[in-house]
């Protein structure tokens, strides 16, 4: 569109993403919607898709009272009217940068023309700016920064940029981590608000809410048709779930689809189709479960999972425990697979999946197997058990693996999350990890699994409507009339042992005996629903034996009671029970009529009944109702106005009942209002929305490479960067054969030899002093030593073993391998036979070792008091190991020891490092990375440029080695020694583009590129990228890159890139570029290298030149070079078309 106003129409220039140039183009930084969404956008209609724009520019000649504005053809930019154009602001910290005071909103994909102007206080535009050209952009994404300042604002605010994500169009997404101490107050506030990474849920998002049962129930009519019953099922929370989901849909916050069992079995395919069509109106997808599987599934959940997750171990503690239900476990897996298949069939990219409760703990893993990038959340409504209870399950690893297939795990309270963290620590050895913004989770197989603690929210506003309805008022009066003149203690519980109903009834009878003044004036009314079965059970019979009467409704809806006994010593009727599940109006009416809630749950995840009781009394003028809740109910952690009791302490229950009746009115009112304030301050919709926003933030990294490991229910996915893959033996051999100067770095234990350090256990603290410490290790086997000998026999190879062991131990292990290099104590001592002979060199001959005495003495004290810990002496380092100790106690002790060592050794040239299972004190600047750099320097000095490196290790100490090799030989990295020149790194040739076709490659496998021949490294630094066009030579002969004088064209694209390999043993997060699964694969690689070395040597020894001459004078030694004159090249052939 043509610009309106006084400015000429000048076309913009430059594509998105280019540097700011003379043509007026802007350097853009659009951000993907899922990374950052404006807060204001949450309330906007989905039809009004807009982009939020912020402008940055530079002006250093602006009058004191002048304004800098951005004006353009869009109404948000004033429509070329300078008086309505948005202002830019600056301050002393960022001057001469000017930035938008407030962002502006434009339509998505709108073409915007704009320019910056300086306006005086009289409204006059600076003549210099009038002569400037227009700039143009296209609005992209939900937020875009238009940087026309060359990045000066970011430099002023000291931001560090990592080019770590890229969208489908190749636009770079910059994650900014400012230095907070140099921010202004407003900048700090904005930074804090953006820590969590905003996310939003809109009508564009489809959310699959997956639970065992649908929030509605399908019933079969007498005529054979089907209908939907909206009455809540007996899981204790559906009465809150269904209105919440409907509210979400009505407000178009998200497209919510429920997945679950419809409550009925279909007899044939026609009935299935009928039910599916019927539920379509309610946005529900039914999962049809075979009857026999459902019975076994229900039994497994009821008899195993439900008790264990509530820390009830009765069936494991009997003298004749029943065996684990293998058939039930098989049914559990089968049904979880059915639910997963139902989701997968309807899932589209970008959808969210939210699974609920312990019935579906395997479903996250099953879904992620079929849709690896699925965004999966799981919320556990019941408690997570203690680690001892959870470990009693024979399928504990399978259940944990299933849960860890999710991106976000939700728990009602932190106590349950803590139990989860303890379990994964003791079973998988995983520690919790914390992120900015309060996020917490665990790193599992190369990705973060986040956790969220936020209990389900009671629907307060919706429940007020019910509690104040005429129906409830009438039923309340009926209950009060039935128990006229008596104070009612009431509650509603599930019919199982976890409700502790028998102890409650006995404690209430004891209360009446010990406090006779209340006898005949109070009653206990207990409503009970049975969640697992119908009909009589042994437990129900035990309740009948303790109660005095049964409540029920007659056909006319009138409340009646039936005494359970006649005569006897105690004639009073004080405890009434009602077994059948009442309508919710009956439940609310009971709570409204009652004065005291009495909860004695032995274990409950949340327990919504106290919330229901509080809401029922919210309109009481006196506000004198009292809640007595068990300290084992989750609600007791948040309803602080309640009287908390230990239900197993009968004295506490008796005293609490008496106190509830005798409490002063002022205290009653204060306690009630405390509970009411908490119950009324949130809603299920907010809980739903917040969880989904966090789920969206926790989604998997789209740039990850995924591999599957394991079988069956223990199959898991491992995520790692795109440049991390399994080491190809063929690729190593290919590069090895073409290299002239090769260097090998090998760790020993865990790499060349099996790591058996965990098999060694010493009792008590070590005797003597630090010099008496023993070191234990494992030598490589004879096959490995044979391979190393073969490698060392080739004078083009340099083989170095780097270990934490001492010099003597390494010499004993490798004494039969002539020519091998050794680096003991992580490189503090080293020897290279080709350079130092048999003499050991030391990185720091003048090192001060007096710190060892102090460190050893304090470590010895901690060994005495930490069972399973020990001290390792590694020459230049002392290590306190606690891998065999209780992991939580050990980590507590490690923190204390680390703190003590830092204080004690202050002033010594040592570092105190705390890692997983150890605390280490080592000489500063000593590690395998330093040793590797020293060796490479010496080898290149002696033999010329190194053109092949293979480094393999298995643990944290080897990461320094990998980082050193990567830094020296990382693809595309150029050491810029001069401003005008840069030298090639003799490494991956994939950086040197051999033809223009490479410009269209998928750059995701070689890192993100930056315009202008720059590339972002992982640490945020920019690396030069050398490009070439055509087949010309760059920076010298390309044959030098190939090794062996070979042309680059002779090497296949797959192999020509890599000749420097860093490899970790085991698939885990590492700085290494490759991995091997175990020491057996390392041995296989060494055997292949040995075979290649021997074959090459044999081929070279049998090679002869033949000149065609006969006689003794014509014979030459093996491998000797003939004279040029003796070579017969044959007759030249005539080219086609030649004369």
């Amino acid at each position: 569109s043509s610009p309106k106003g006084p400015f000429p129409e000048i076309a913009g220039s430059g594509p998105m993403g280019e540097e700011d140039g003379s043509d007026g183009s802007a350097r853009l930084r659009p951000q993907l919607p899922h990374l950052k969404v404006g807060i204001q956008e949450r309330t906007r209609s989905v039809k009004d898709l807009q982009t939020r724009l912020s402008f940055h520019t530079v002006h250093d000649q602006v009058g004191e009272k002048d304004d800098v504005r951005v004006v353009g053809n869009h109404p948000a930019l004033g429509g070329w009217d300078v008086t309505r154009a948005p202002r830019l602001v600056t301050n002393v910290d960022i001057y001469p940068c000017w930035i938008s005071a407030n962002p502006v909103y434009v339509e998505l994909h709108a073409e915007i023309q704009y320019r910056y102007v300086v306006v005086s206080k009289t409204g006059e535009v600076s003549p210099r700016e009038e002569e400037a050209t227009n700039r143009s952009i296209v609005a992209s994404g939900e937020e875009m920064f238009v940087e026309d300042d060359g990045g000066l604002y970011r430099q002023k605010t000291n931001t560090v940029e990592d080019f770590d994500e890229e969208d489908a169009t190749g636009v770079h997404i910059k994650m900014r981590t400012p230095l907070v101490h140099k921010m202004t107050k407003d900048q700090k506030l904005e930074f804090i608000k953006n820590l969590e990474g905003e996310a939003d849920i809109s009508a564009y998002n489809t959310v699959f809410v997956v639970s065992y049962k649908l929030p509605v129930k399908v019933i079969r009519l007498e005529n054979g048709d089907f209908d939907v019953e909206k009455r809540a099922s007996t899981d204790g929370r559906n009465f809150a779930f269904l209105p919440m989901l409907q509210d979400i849909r009505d407000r178009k916050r998200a497209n919510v689809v429920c997945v679950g069992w419809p409550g009925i079995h279909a007899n044939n395919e026609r009935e299935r189709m009928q039910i599916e069509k019927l539920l379509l109106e309610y946005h529900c997808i039914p999962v049809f479960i075979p009857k026999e599987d459902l019975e076994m599934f229900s039994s497994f959940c009821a008899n195993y999972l439900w008790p264990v997750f509530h820390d009830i171990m009765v069936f494991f503690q009997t003298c004749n425990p029943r065996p684990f239900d293998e058939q039930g476990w098989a049914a559990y897996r089968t049904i979880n697979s059915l639910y997963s298949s139902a989701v997968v069939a309807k899932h589209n990219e970008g959808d969210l999946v939210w699974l609920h409760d312990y019935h579906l703990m395997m479903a996250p893993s099953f879904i992620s197997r079929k849709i690896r990038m699925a965004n999966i959340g799981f919320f556990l409504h019941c408690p997570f058990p203690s680690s001892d209870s959870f470990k009693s399950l024979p399928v504990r690893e399978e259940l944990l693996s299933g849960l860890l297939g999710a991106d976000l795990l939700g728990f009602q309270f932190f106590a349950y999350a803590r139990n989860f963290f303890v379990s994964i620590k003791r079973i998988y050895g995983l520690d919790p990890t914390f992120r900015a913004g309060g996020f917490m989770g665990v790193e599992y197989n190369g990705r973060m699994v986040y956790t969220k603690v936020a209990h389900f929210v009671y629907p307060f506003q919706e429940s007020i409507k019910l509690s104040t309805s005429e129906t409830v008022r009438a039923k309340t009066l009926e209950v009060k009339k039935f128990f006229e003149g008596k104070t009612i203690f009431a509650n509603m519980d599930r019919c199982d042992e976890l409700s502790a109903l028998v102890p409650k009834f006995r404690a209430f009878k004891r209360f009446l005996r010990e406090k006779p003044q209340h006898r005949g004036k109070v009653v206990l009314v207990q409503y009970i629903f049975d969640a697992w079965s119908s009909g009589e059970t042994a437990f129900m019979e035990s309740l009948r034996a303790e109660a005095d009467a049964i409540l029920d409704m007659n056909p006319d809806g009138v409340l009646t009671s039936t005494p359970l006994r006649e005569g006897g010593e105690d004639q009073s009727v004080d405890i009434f029970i009602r077994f059948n599940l009442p309508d919710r109006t009956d439940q609310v009416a009971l709570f409204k009529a009652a004065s005291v809630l009495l909860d004695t749950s032995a274990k409950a995840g949340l327990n919504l009944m106290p919330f229901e009781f509080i809401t029922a009394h919210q309109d009481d003028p006196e506000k004198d109702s009292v809640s007595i809740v068990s300290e084992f109910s989750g609600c007791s952690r948040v309803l602080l106005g309640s009287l908390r009791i230990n239900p197993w302490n009968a004295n506490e229950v008796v005293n609490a009942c008496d106190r509830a009746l005798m409490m002063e009115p002022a205290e009653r009112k204060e306690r009630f209002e405390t509970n009411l304030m908490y119950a009324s301050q949130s809603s299920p919709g907010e809980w739903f929305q917040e969880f989904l926003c966090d789920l969206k933030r926790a989604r998997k990294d789209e740039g990850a490479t995924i591999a599957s490991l394991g079988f069956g229910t223990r199959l898991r996915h491992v995520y790692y960067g795109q440049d991390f893959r399994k080491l190809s033996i063929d690729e190593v051999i290919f590069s090895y054969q073409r290299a002239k100067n090769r260097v090998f770095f090998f760790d020993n234990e865990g790499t060349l030899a099996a790591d058996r350090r965990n098999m060694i256990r010493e009792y008590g603290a070590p005797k003597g002093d630090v010099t008496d410490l023993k070191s234990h290790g494992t030598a490589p086997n004879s096959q490995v030593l044979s391979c190393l000998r073969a490698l060392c026999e080739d004078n083009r190879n340099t083989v170095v073993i780097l270990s934490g062991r001492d010099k003597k131990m390494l010499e004993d292990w490798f004494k039969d391998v002539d020519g091998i290099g050794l680096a003991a104590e992580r490189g503090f001592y080293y020897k290279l036979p080709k350079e130092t002979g048999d003499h050991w060199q030391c990185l720091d001959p003048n090192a001060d070792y007096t710190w060892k005495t102090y460190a050893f003495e304090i470590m010895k004290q901690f060994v005495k008091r930490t069972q399973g810990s020990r001290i390792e002496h590694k020459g230049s380092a002392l290590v306190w190991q606690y891998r065999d100790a209780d992991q939580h106690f050990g980590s507590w002790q490690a923190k204390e020891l680390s703190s003590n060592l830092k204080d004690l050794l202050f002033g010594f040239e040592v570092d105190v490092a705390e890692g997983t299972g150890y605390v280490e004190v080592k000489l500063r600047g000593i590690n395998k990375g330093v040793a590797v750099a020293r060796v490479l320097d010496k080898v290149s000095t002696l033999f010329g440029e190194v053109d092949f490196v293979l480094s393999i290790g298995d643990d944290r100490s080897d990461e320094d080695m990998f980082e050193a090799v990567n830094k020296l030989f990382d693809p595309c990295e150029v050491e810029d020694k001069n401003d005008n020149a840069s030298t090639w790194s003799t490494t991956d040739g994939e950086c040197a583009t051999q033809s223009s076709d490479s410009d269209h490659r998928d750059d995701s496998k070689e890192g993100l590129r930056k315009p202008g021949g720059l590339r972002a490294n992982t640490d945020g630094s920019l690396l030069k990228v050398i490009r070439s066009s055509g087949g010309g030579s760059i920076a010298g002969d390309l044959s030098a890159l190939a090794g062996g004088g070979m042309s680059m064209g002779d090497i296949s694209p797959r192999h020509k890139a890599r000749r420097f390999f860093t490899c970790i043993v085991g698939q885990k997060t590492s700085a290494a570029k490759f991995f091997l699964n175990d020491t057996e694969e390392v041995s296989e690689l060494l055997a292949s290298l040995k075979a290649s070395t021997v074959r090459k040597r044999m081929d070279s020894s049998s090679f002869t030149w033949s000149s065609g001459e006969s006689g003794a004078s014509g014979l030459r030694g093996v491998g000797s070079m003939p004279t040029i004159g003796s070579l017969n090249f044959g007759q030249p052939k005539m080219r086609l078309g030649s004369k």
Side-chain angles (χ1 to χ4, degrees):
S1 61
S2 300
K4 299 178 182 180
F7 299 103
E9 178 181 354
I10 301 177
S13 60
M16 289 174 55
E18 292 188 359
E19 293 289 326
D20 185 11
S22 59
D23 55 3
S25 61
R27 180 167 175 261
L28 307 182
R29 302 198 298 113
Q31 298 197 1
L32 293 183
H34 67 264
L35 287 179
K36 187 179 175 83
V37 179
I39 299 174
Q40 298 92 329
E41 311 238 0
R42 298 190 179 185
T43 59
R44 292 190 291 119
S45 168
V46 296
K47 297 180 180 179
D48 301 327
L49 295 179
Q50 294 180 319
T51 298
R52 188 169 76 165
L53 296 179
S54 297
F55 294 83
H56 298 177
T57 189
V58 174
H59 283 287
D60 57 358
Q61 295 180 358
V62 181
E64 183 177 354
K65 296 184 179 180
D66 293 346
D67 284 338
V68 177
R69 302 192 180 193
V70 55
V71 63
N73 63 341
H74 193 277
L77 299 178
W80 295 119
D81 184 352
V82 174
T83 61
R84 296 190 292 114
R87 297 173 58 251
L88 304 183
V89 296
T90 188
N91 58 48
V92 293
D93 294 322
I94 64 173
Y95 185 83
C97 292
W98 295 76
I99 64 175
S100 297
N102 295 295
V104 297
Y105 290 87
V106 299
E107 295 77 19
L108 184 64
H109 304 313
E111 297 182 6
I112 306 297
Q113 291 188 348
Y114 69 100
R115 69 195 322 170
Y116 300 100
V117 296
V118 178
V119 184
S120 68
K121 61 180 181 179
T122 60
E124 295 179 356
V125 180
S126 168
R128 181 177 65 84
E129 288 299 316
E130 286 183 348
E131 297 173 359
T133 58
N134 289 348
R135 304 171 186 262
S136 67
I137 58 172
V138 176
S140 175
E142 294 199 26
E143 182 172 23
M144 178 183 289
F145 290 91
V146 184
E147 291 188 342
D148 293 304
D149 62 345
L152 183 60
Y153 172 75
R154 287 179 282 106
Q155 296 175 22
K156 290 281 188 179
T157 55
N158 291 290
T159 59
V160 178
E161 297 179 350
D162 292 333
F163 293 74
D164 57 356
E165 290 193 54
E166 185 176 37
D167 67 1
T169 63
V171 177
H172 302 293
I173 309 305
K174 301 183 181 181
M175 308 300 291
R176 298 181 298 168
T177 309
L179 299 178
V180 179
H181 67 278
K182 292 190 176 182
M183 291 182 181
T184 64
K185 292 181 179 179
D186 292 340
Q187 289 172 336
K188 289 180 180 179
L189 181 60
E190 184 67 19
F191 171 69
I192 293 170
K193 288 180 178 179
N194 292 331
L195 272 179
E196 63 180 3
E198 295 171 9
D200 198 9
I201 304 298
S202 68
Y204 282 139
N205 297 113
T206 296
V207 182
F208 292 95
V209 178
V210 190
S211 56
Y212 168 40
K213 296 178 182 179
L214 290 172
V216 296
K217 183 179 181 181
V218 177
I219 58 174
R220 192 187 301 270
L221 302 177
E222 293 182 359
N223 61 3
D225 292 337
F226 299 97
D227 196 8
V228 171
E229 185 181 66
K230 293 186 179 181
R231 180 182 178 184
S233 59
T234 60
D235 67 354
R237 66 175 176 274
N238 266 359
F239 74 87
F241 230 71
L242 189 59
M244 176 192 70
L245 298 178
Q246 191 59 48
D247 178 66
I248 295 291
R249 295 190 191 104
D250 292 343
R251 298 190 183 188
K252 297 184 178 179
R253 294 180 179 174
N255 178 28
V256 181
V257 178
C258 295
V259 181
W261 184 53
I264 194 171
H265 294 284
N267 296 323
N268 50 55
E269 188 63 29
R270 183 181 62 84
E271 290 188 352
R272 288 192 177 196
M273 295 178 63
Q274 282 184 290
I275 295 173
E276 288 176 353
K277 185 177 180 180
L278 179 64
L279 290 173
L280 196 60
E281 178 184 350
Y282 298 89
H283 301 270
C284 293
I285 298 175
V287 179
F288 297 102
I289 306 174
K291 289 183 179 180
E292 57 276 12
D293 287 339
L294 182 62
E295 292 176 359
M296 291 186 290
F297 170 81
S298 299
S299 175
F300 181 78
C301 290
N303 297 325
Y304 282 91
L305 294 185
W306 176 262
V308 169
F309 272 70
H310 289 80
D311 289 308
I312 303 298
M313 308 291 296
V314 175
F315 48 88
F316 286 137
Q317 296 169 353
T318 61
C319 59
N320 185 25
R322 57 173 177 246
F324 179 73
D325 188 359
E326 295 289 352
Q327 289 185 331
W329 169 237
Y332 185 86
R333 301 196 310 270
T334 299
I335 290 176
N336 273 253
S337 181
L338 289 176
Y339 278 76
S340 303
S341 298
V343 172
V344 170
K346 304 293 183 180
H347 185 278
N348 292 306
E349 185 177 354
D351 293 346
L352 289 83
V353 182
W354 190 1
L355 300 146
H356 288 267
D357 227 356
Y358 63 97
H359 306 91
L360 301 174
M361 287 189 290
M362 294 301 300
S365 176
F366 290 163
I367 294 174
S368 63
R369 292 183 193 181
K370 300 175 182 178
I371 309 175
R372 293 189 171 185
M373 300 308 296
N375 195 190
I376 305 171
F378 182 92
F379 192 88
L380 186 66
H381 291 267
C382 69
F384 194 92
S386 66
S387 62
D388 287 338
S389 297
F390 186 77
K391 287 195 298 182
S392 68
L393 285 170
V395 292
R396 61 193 186 187
E397 286 91 351
E398 288 86 342
L399 292 176
L400 273 186
S401 177
L403 287 175
L404 292 172
D407 300 316
L408 179 65
L409 297 174
F411 300 92
Q412 301 274 22
F413 299 98
F414 179 73
Y416 310 152
R418 182 178 60 236
N419 288 344
F420 169 75
F421 285 126
V422 172
S423 294
I424 61 174
K425 172 76 172 177
R426 295 185 174 178
I427 295 174
Y428 283 154
L430 301 177
D431 287 304
T433 302
F434 300 89
R435 293 289 187 268
F439 292 103
M440 180 174 58
V442 292
E443 289 191 10
Y444 176 69
N445 289 334
R447 67 183 181 90
M448 276 293 296
V449 179
Y450 290 92
T451 58
K452 182 178 179 65
V453 176
H455 70 78
F456 181 79
V457 178
Y458 177 79
F460 180 79
Q461 296 298 333
E462 293 80 0
S463 299
I464 287 178
K465 300 175 183 178
L466 178 64
S467 66
T468 57
S469 65
E470 290 300 323
T471 302
V472 170
R473 290 183 186 277
K475 291 188 175 183
T476 301
L477 292 174
E478 181 181 353
V479 174
K480 287 184 176 181
K481 183 178 180 181
F482 191 86
F483 298 105
E484 189 173 4
K486 296 184 178 181
T487 300
I488 301 174
F489 287 69
N491 200 17
M492 176 172 167
D493 292 286
R494 177 179 277 111
C495 186
D496 61 20
E497 290 84 352
L498 293 173
S499 299
L501 295 176
V502 171
K504 177 195 289 190
F505 294 169
R506 291 174 178 171
F508 192 78
K509 290 181 177 179
R510 178 176 172 178
F511 159 66
L512 294 178
R513 289 196 303 270
E514 295 183 2
K515 310 292 181 180
Q517 66 271 25
H518 300 305
R519 171 163 289 192
K521 299 178 182 179
V522 297
V523 292
L524 171 61
V525 181
Q526 179 70 56
Y527 282 6
I528 301 171
F529 66 93
D530 183 5
W532 300 116
S533 61
S534 58
E536 297 294 322
T537 65
F539 181 68
M540 293 171 68
E541 285 301 315
S542 66
L543 295 179
R544 289 174 181 272
E546 298 292 337
D548 299 321
I550 292 182
L551 283 177
D552 207 345
M553 287 282 186
N554 64 18
D556 298 328
V558 178
L559 198 62
T560 62
S561 66
T562 305
L564 289 173
R565 62 185 61 81
E566 296 181 0
E569 180 182 348
D570 189 352
Q571 299 290 333
S572 63
V573 179
D574 304 310
I575 301 176
F576 295 79
I577 57 175
R578 182 178 177 181
F579 282 113
N580 61 312
L581 178 64
D583 187 87
R584 191 175 175 218
T585 56
D586 294 330
Q587 171 187 322
V588 175
L590 172 65
F591 286 151
K592 203 171 182 67
S595 300
V596 181
L597 175 95
L598 181 56
D599 167 51
T600 58
S601 301
K603 194 80 169 183
L606 175 61
N607 193 356
L608 292 176
M609 294 304 107
F611 292 91
E612 188 95 292
F613 176 79
I614 293 165
T615 306
H617 288 274
Q618 56 85 27
D619 57 346
D620 288 356
E622 297 84 5
K623 301 189 183 304
D624 59 351
S625 58
V626 179
S627 300
I628 302 174
V629 298
S630 167
E631 64 185 48
F632 302 114
S633 286
C635 62
S636 67
R637 305 172 189 272
V638 292
L639 297 178
L640 304 182
S642 305
L643 299 177
R644 289 180 43 153
I645 58 169
N646 177 357
W648 305 111
N649 187 335
N651 287 329
E652 274 194 28
V653 179
V654 169
N655 293 332
C657 291
D658 182 58
R659 184 181 176 187
L661 296 175
M662 306 302 294
M663 188 181 298
E664 293 295 328
E667 183 183 356
R668 286 171 176 268
K669 184 176 181 180
E670 182 182 5
R671 286 180 173 274
F672 178 82
E673 288 180 343
T674 298
N675 288 340
L676 181 62
M677 181 178 66
Y678 184 85
S680 61
Q681 66 184 3
S682 189
S683 69
E686 293 176 4
W687 172 80
F688 184 91
Q689 194 85 358
E690 288 178 4
F691 188 94
L692 290 180
C693 286
D694 279 351
L695 174 58
K696 203 169 184 179
R697 295 182 182 105
R699 65 194 177 283
K700 302 174 183 71
D701 181 9
E702 296 179 359
T705 300
I706 307 171
S708 298
L709 295 177
F711 301 94
T713 52
R714 295 195 182 187
L715 184 143
R716 67 187 190 278
H717 296 308
V718 179
Y719 294 73
Y720 28 73
Q722 293 180 340
D723 58 348
F724 187 64
R725 56 189 173 89
K726 187 171 183 180
L727 184 63
S728 168
I729 294 179
D730 292 340
E731 187 175 354
V732 174
I733 298 300
F734 188 96
S735 299
Y736 172 78
Q737 291 176 341
R738 284 153 182 79
K740 294 181 178 179
N741 189 9
R742 315 158 182 147
V743 181
F744 297 86
F745 297 106
F746 298 122
D747 175 47
N748 181 49
E749 288 158 285
T751 304
L752 299 180
D755 188 355
R756 304 189 185 281
R757 285 172 289 185
N758 60 337
M759 305 293 292
I760 301 168
R761 176 69 67 87
E762 296 178 356
Y763 181 81
K767 307 297 189 295
D769 58 22
V770 66
T771 59
D772 297 321
L773 284 174
K774 297 178 182 179
S775 183
H776 305 278
T778 306
N781 58 38
S782 58
Q783 289 83 359
V784 171
L785 293 175
S786 174
C787 295
L788 294 176
R789 276 193 294 270
L791 290 177
C792 291
E793 287 171 0
D794 191 326
N795 59 12
R796 292 172 295 180
N797 295 342
T798 301
V799 182
V800 181
I801 306 298
L802 298 102
S803 174
R805 302 302 170 193
D806 58 32
K807 296 180 292 183
K808 183 178 184 306
M809 188 171 288
L810 289 184
E811 286 181 331
D812 290 342
W813 288 346
F814 297 97
K815 61 185 176 182
D816 296 329
V817 183
D818 294 333
I820 195 168
L822 300 176
E825 300 178 15
R826 297 182 182 173
F828 186 65
Y829 293 101
Y830 69 94
K831 68 175 181 177
L832 294 174
K834 295 179 181 180
E835 195 262 344
T836 65
D838 288 335
H839 299 289
W840 287 90
Q841 300 288 324
C842 181
L843 288 180
D844 187 3
N846 300 320
D848 179 12
Y849 291 103
T850 56
W851 58 269
K852 282 188 179 181
T853 303
Y854 306 110
F856 173 74
E857 288 300 324
I858 192 171
M859 285 183 179
K860 187 164 68 172
Q861 295 178 18
F862 274 79
V863 169
K864 291 179 181 178
R865 294 163 182 84
T866 310
Q867 188 178 34
S869 65
R870 57 190 172 88
I871 304 175
E872 276 191 73
H873 185 212
K874 296 191 174 182
S876 62
L878 275 182
V879 183
W880 184 74
Q881 299 276 10
Y882 63 93
R883 291 188 178 95
D884 297 329
D886 178 89
Q887 296 182 4
H888 285 86
F889 179 59
S891 63
W892 297 339
Q893 292 286 76
K895 288 182 175 61
E896 184 66 21
L897 173 60
S898 178
S899 176
N900 291 347
L901 287 170
K902 288 175 182 178
D903 293 339
L904 186 66
L905 302 179
F906 180 78
F908 287 96
E909 288 297 315
V910 295
D911 291 321
V912 179
E914 185 178 350
T916 303
Y918 70 90
V919 174
E920 180 182 40
V921 184
K922 60 182 179 179
L923 286 173
R924 188 165 296 154
I926 302 299
N927 57 60
K928 291 185 180 181
V930 175
V932 164
R934 178 68 63 90
V935 170
L936 289 172
D937 179 64
K938 289 184 176 295
V939 172
S940 61
T941 301
L942 291 172
F943 307 110
E945 184 180 7
V946 176
D947 54 3
F948 177 90
V949 174
L950 173 62
S951 60
I952 308 179
D954 75 304
D955 62 16
R956 174 62 189 87
S957 66
D958 299 309
E959 294 299 314
D960 298 317
M961 173 174 67
F962 300 146
E963 291 173 0
V965 174
N966 291 340
K967 183 177 181 181
L968 293 171
F969 301 109
D970 186 65
C972 301
E973 183 167 337
V974 176
E975 184 179 356
D976 195 356
K977 296 183 179 179
N978 302 300
D979 294 336
N980 303 334
S982 58
T983 45
W984 270 94
S985 169
T986 55
T987 179
D988 300 45
E990 64 189 6
C991 306
T993 309
Q994 298 301 314
S995 69
S996 59
D997 293 340
S998 63
D999 290 338
H1000 303 288
R1001 281 184 322 207
D1002 178 11
D1003 286 339
S1004 62
K1005 294 188 178 180
E1006 59 179 55
L1008 299 180
R1009 298 190 182 277
K1010 185 178 185 296
L1014 294 178
R1015 173 183 168 185
N1017 196 9
T1018 53
D1019 62 356
S1021 59
L1022 297 178
L1023 309 176
K1024 289 285 183 69
V1025 178
I1026 310 297
R1027 292 182 178 269
S1028 68
S1029 59
S1033 175
I1034 303 174
D1037 188 2
L1038 280 178
S1039 63
L1041 293 176
M1046 195 172 183
S1047 169
M1048 287 290 284
D1050 296 332
I1051 305 178
S1052 66
R1054 177 185 173 192
H1055 293 103
K1056 72 179 181 182
R1058 174 72 63 178
R1059 288 179 297 137
F1060 303 95
F1061 303 88
T1062 52
C1063 178
I1064 186 79
V1065 179
Q1067 297 189 34
K1068 48 197 170 189
T1069 304
S1070 172
K1073 304 293 186 181
F1074 301 90
F1075 68 87
L1076 291 172
N1077 288 317
D1078 49 38
T1079 57
E1080 296 297 326
E1081 292 190 353
V1082 176
S1083 298
E1084 182 182 348
L1085 171 61
L1086 291 176
S1088 299
L1089 288 169
K1090 173 185 175 182
S1092 176
T1093 302
V1094 173
R1095 182 168 60 250
K1096 189 75 173 178
R1097 194 160 54 241
M1098 293 176 61
D1099 291 344
S1100 63
S1101 65
S1102 63
F1103 180 77
T1104 61
W1105 287 85
S1106 176
S1107 64
E1109 299 180 7
S1110 59
S1113 62
L1115 295 177
R1116 297 185 180 274
V1118 174
S1120 61
M1121 182 71 180
T1123 63
I1124 294 294
S1126 67
L1127 296 177
N1128 183 10
F1129 295 99
Q1131 295 295 323
K1133 295 183 179 180
M1134 182 176 294
R1135 294 173 56 193
L1136 292 177
S1138 63
K1139 295 182 181 180

